Amino acid sequence: YLYDRGEQKQTRLYWAIPLYCTQIVYDKSGTNRELLYRRFWPFASYTEEKENASLKILDIWPMRHTEPIDRNLAPFWTLYSYDETAKGYGWDCLWGMLRGARENGASASESAKRESFSFQPFYSVEWGGDVKVEKADATAQATVRDYFFGVVRTSHSEAGLERVRLLWFWHLDF
């Protein structure tokens, strides 16, 4: 256990080297938490900052804040990751084979939410929110499904337009 009371922040560290570590950073008054970081190495890590949170399952690299490793190598050994912000959340499982995401509306009064799910390379779906409808230049509430890397695409808009696209250039309208 380590307690550091700096001029601007208070930091508390708990650890059982090398398997467990928790870092909690508070503001000067000690009432508002600015950062929470937990790691049970090599299995998982969890970070929470103001409006952002992230979880990684199988986080092998033992150090934090190594951007080249996180960007280039961590995706190879991370089995599951979850990221949440004020704008929405997204998750990724088994190196991108399964993915899901949700984006909240632009304002509190706007209830439009955009969601997506994919099981690559076989199926992906996107619904809600404003999705560009292929026949029109405008955007509308729609559901778009892709099969086999987009070889077959179906789209259905709230306006009743249904469209099937085959091999990226044949379009059938219903």
Side-chain angles (χ1 to χ4, degrees), residues 100-114:
R102 179 178 184 155
E103 296 176 16
N104 297 327
S107 65
S109 63
E110 183 182 340
S111 63
K113 294 177 179 23
R114 188 178 204 170

Side-chain angles (χ1 to χ4, degrees), residues 116-160:
S116 64
F117 171 78
S118 67
F119 176 53
Q120 292 295 339
F122 307 108
Y123 176 74
S124 73
V125 62
E126 184 176 337
W127 68 94
D130 289 333
V131 177
K132 183 167 177 37
V133 179
E134 290 182 11
K135 188 172 184 177
D137 291 331
T139 58
Q141 293 275 343
T143 301
V144 177
R145 290 182 172 88
D146 286 327
Y147 303 92
F148 307 109
F149 291 115
V151 171
V152 177
R153 170 180 274 186
T154 62
S155 59
H156 174 76
S157 69
E158 276 188 354

Side-chain angles (χ1 to χ4, degrees), residues 23-26 33-37 47-49 64:
Q23 177 184 11
I24 305 171
V25 178
Y26 293 96
R33 185 175 69 199
E34 295 180 4
L35 170 76
L36 170 65
Y37 173 74
T47 305
E48 187 177 308
E49 297 179 84
R64 264 181 86 193

Side-chain angles (χ1 to χ4, degrees), residues 25-44:
V25 178
Y26 293 96
D27 63 356
K28 188 176 181 180
S29 66
T31 56
N32 296 325
R33 185 175 69 199
E34 295 180 4
L35 170 76
L36 170 65
Y37 173 74
R38 293 181 192 260
R39 167 173 257 171
F40 186 60
W41 184 77
F43 303 110

Side-chain angles (χ1 to χ4, degrees), residues 3 23 27 43 51 53 57 60 73 78 84 86-87 90-91 96-97 99 124 128 140 142 144 146 149 168 173-174:
Y3 179 73
Q23 177 184 11
D27 63 356
F43 303 110
E51 295 181 355
I57 303 290
I60 293 177
L73 297 176
T78 302
E84 183 174 354
K87 295 180 181 179
W91 58 270
M97 282 193 73
R99 287 186 183 184
S124 73
V144 177
D146 286 327
F149 291 115
W168 302 284
D173 295 323
F174 298 101

Side-chain angles (χ1 to χ4, degrees), residues 39-90:
R39 167 173 257 171
F40 186 60
W41 184 77
F43 303 110
S45 67
Y46 176 76
T47 305
E48 187 177 308
E49 297 179 84
K50 297 182 184 178
E51 295 181 355
N52 301 331
S54 71
L55 169 71
K56 290 183 181 178
I57 303 290
L58 202 58
D59 194 6
I60 293 177
W61 191 253
M63 296 180 289
R64 264 181 86 193
H65 303 301
T66 51
E67 292 298 321
I69 300 295
D70 289 341
R71 181 179 55 248
N72 297 322
L73 297 176
F76 290 116
W77 59 68
T78 302
L79 295 178
Y80 177 82
S81 65
Y82 176 85
D83 295 307
E84 183 174 354
T85 65
K87 295 180 181 179
Y89 66 85

